[in-house]
Amino acid sequence: MRVLVLGGAGFLGSHTLVALAEAGHAPVALDNLVNASARAVERAAGLGGRAIPLVVADVRDAAALERALREHRAEAVIHFAALKAVARSVREPLEYFDNNVGGTVAVLRAMQQAGVERLVFSSSATVYGVPARVPIAEDAPRGAVNPYGHTKHACELLIEDACAAGGRLAALLLRYFNPVGAHPSGRLGEDPRGTPDNLMPFVSQVAVGRRPWLPVFGADWPTPDGTCVRDYLHVMDLAEAHVAALGALEGGGGRAPALNLGTGRGHSVREVVAEFERAAGRPIPTRVEGRRAGDVAVLYADCGRAAQVLGWRARRDLRAMCADAWRFQRENPSGYAAG
Ligand code: NAD
Ligand code: WQD
């Protein structure tokens, strides 16, 4: 299938380019490079063994999107393009709604104009907010607690309504839990700009000596070791789920089911640090700080529906996630900046 991958130069998009190419699909990346490097697409092409064009454009530009869809004769769209920093979204809600929701309106318009009927959308476990119980299944109520999460909820509603409108649009809303790790080659990985917001890239940067210690946001949570528990998912498992999602979309119109993507297992902050220390063969200094606003003690996914609908299950464990994240960090200590 010819697939336009929006946000294809980003962390999750670039790894998905590799999985698509390896599965025999023909991906084209589109990205405005606001949070990514074109080098990631070049490296993905090298790993995937085929040329992957990069269209530099903004998803809010529906005309540019329509041109790209027609020029590359796209049969499906995977829409990763969004801003994702929770704390920044609290300070800049307009920017987040404009980019994430405005972008998704333009994507749906352009697809309609170009007659493209298959969409895979990057949603997030953040739409659940504070869940009543774990594991969280897809029928749990949505109740995001920050502007970033509200934009994902709004996009889900928008896509559901667009699918229900009677056309042939078929979509899958993939709710990722905590994607981490890197391609096992060490060529592709997560390269956040500025101070990392998320745990694993922060740990990696401490391990490589770019930061002196990891702040641990609370050690007094009601969990076995007092630190928060999350469902970490290897980025290559996530990439493979997108390949499966394209297959699941074939033929089905008018629907937009949501699927959790995780492992169904939780790991604490301390467990992640210990596993990373093993992978890197060096200690990772930590300092316990106060709890971070908006955190909850334990989150992990019920992944039964993804197994049923996609025939997909995560295969890689925390050891592989840390080993691969470390290989990328060690071989690219300044990320993609150094080429
Ligand atoms: P990322 O920032 O690495 O990738 C997003 C990409 O989209 C970047 O390359 C960025 O340059 C591009 N982009 C942003 N706005 C754009 C616009 N208006 N036009 C064109 N390109 C634009 O983030 P990621 O971790 O790869 O996340 C991908 C998607 O998955 C996002 O939608 C994010 O909300 C979602 N998600 C991520 C996580 C996570 O922990 N990484 C978890 C759940 C959901
Ligand atoms: C994991 C755990 C922190 C950093 C976020 C978004 C969510 C989704 C995935 C996009 C938590 C602790 C972290 C640090 C720490 N993204 N931590 N020190 O918060 O589960 O989810 O990313 O959709 O929407 O909210 O992930 O990696 O930020 O944190 O102790 O320096 O690590 O408190 O318990 P989170 P995270």
Side-chain angles (χ1 to χ4, degrees), residues 124 126 148 178 197-199 215-217 228 230 232 292 295:
S124 169
T126 198
Y148 165 69
N178 291 65
D197 294 304
N198 299 112
L199 178 67
V216 173
F217 298 140
C228 290
R230 294 290 182 275
Y232 297 95
R292 184 174 66 176
D295 272 345

Side-chain angles (χ1 to χ4, degrees), residues 173-197:
L173 310 174
L174 302 184
R175 295 179 180 157
Y176 317 146
F177 277 64
N178 291 65
V180 298
H183 190 272
S185 63
R187 298 278 299 154
L188 273 188
E190 186 167 12
D191 179 24
R193 295 193 174 165
T195 307
D197 294 304

Side-chain angles (χ1 to χ4, degrees), residues 218-262:
D220 56 352
W221 293 93
T223 61
D225 66 16
T227 64
C228 290
V229 169
R230 294 290 182 275
D231 187 337
Y232 297 95
L233 172 68
H234 195 294
V235 61
M236 291 313 299
D237 277 325
L238 176 141
E240 288 165 12
H242 286 72
V243 176
L246 285 182
L249 276 175
E250 278 181 276
R255 296 176 56 243
L259 303 177
N260 287 340
L261 294 188

Side-chain angles (χ1 to χ4, degrees), residues 21 44-51:
L47 293 168
R50 65 179 300 147

Side-chain angles (χ1 to χ4, degrees), residues 77 108 111 117-121 155-156 158-164 168-174 245 248-250 252-259 309:
V77 170
L108 290 167
M111 288 177 67
E117 293 162 349
R118 297 184 184 99
L119 174 66
V120 179
F121 176 70
C155 288
E156 286 198 354
L158 176 60
I159 295 166
E160 285 163 2
D161 287 345
C163 283
R168 292 186 35 83
L169 180 67
L172 282 169
L173 310 174
L174 302 184
L249 276 175
E250 278 181 276
R255 296 176 56 243
L259 303 177
V309 175

Side-chain angles (χ1 to χ4, degrees), residues 80-324:
F80 290 104
L83 300 174
K84 62 165 182 177
V86 173
R88 223 189 103 201
S89 80
V90 176
R91 295 191 303 272
E92 298 170 28
L94 296 186
E95 187 58 27
Y96 270 66
F97 271 80
D98 183 47
N99 195 78
N100 296 1
V101 183
T104 302
V105 171
V107 169
L108 290 167
R109 264 199 215 294
M111 288 177 67
Q112 195 177 43
Q113 291 298 325
V116 179
E117 293 162 349
R118 297 184 184 99
L119 174 66
V120 179
F121 176 70
S122 296
S123 190
S124 169
T126 198
V127 299
Y128 295 118
V130 182
R133 65 184 66 84
V134 287
I136 310 167
E138 290 85 350
D139 55 6
R142 288 176 287 200
V145 294
N146 55 63
Y148 165 69
H150 294 151
T151 70
K152 289 292 171 185
H153 188 168
C155 288
E156 286 198 354
L157 292 171
L158 176 60
I159 295 166
E160 285 163 2
D161 287 345
C163 283
R168 292 186 35 83
L169 180 67
L172 282 169
L173 310 174
L174 302 184
R175 295 179 180 157
Y176 317 146
F177 277 64
N178 291 65
V180 298
H183 190 272
S185 63
R187 298 278 299 154
L188 273 188
E190 186 167 12
D191 179 24
R193 295 193 174 165
T195 307
D197 294 304
N198 299 112
L199 178 67
M200 187 73 95
F202 207 114
V203 170
S204 297
Q205 293 192 6
V206 175
V208 84
R210 275 170 68 178
R211 301 183 187 277
W213 72 81
L214 169 79
V216 173
F217 298 140
D220 56 352
W221 293 93
T223 61
D225 66 16
T227 64
C228 290
V229 169
R230 294 290 182 275
D231 187 337
Y232 297 95
L233 172 68
H234 195 294
V235 61
M236 291 313 299
D237 277 325
L238 176 141
E240 288 165 12
H242 286 72
V243 176
L246 285 182
L249 276 175
E250 278 181 276
R255 296 176 56 243
L259 303 177
N260 287 340
L261 294 188
T263 62
R265 271 209 64 181
H267 291 286
S268 72
V269 172
R270 292 244 182 264
E271 283 179 283
V272 171
V273 171
E275 196 59 61
F276 210 101
E277 285 177 326
R278 267 194 287 280
R282 56 182 74 175
I284 298 184
T286 61
R287 281 195 191 174
V288 174
E289 296 190 356
R291 293 181 177 189
R292 184 174 66 176
D295 272 345
V296 297
V298 180
L299 283 179
Y300 57 94
D302 177 336
C303 303
R305 200 190 276 181
Q308 209 181 357
V309 175
L310 305 181
W312 168 92
R313 251 177 223 291
R315 295 185 291 132
R316 299 158 177 92
D317 62 8
L318 185 64
R319 174 168 297 204
M321 299 177 213
C322 293
D324 293 337

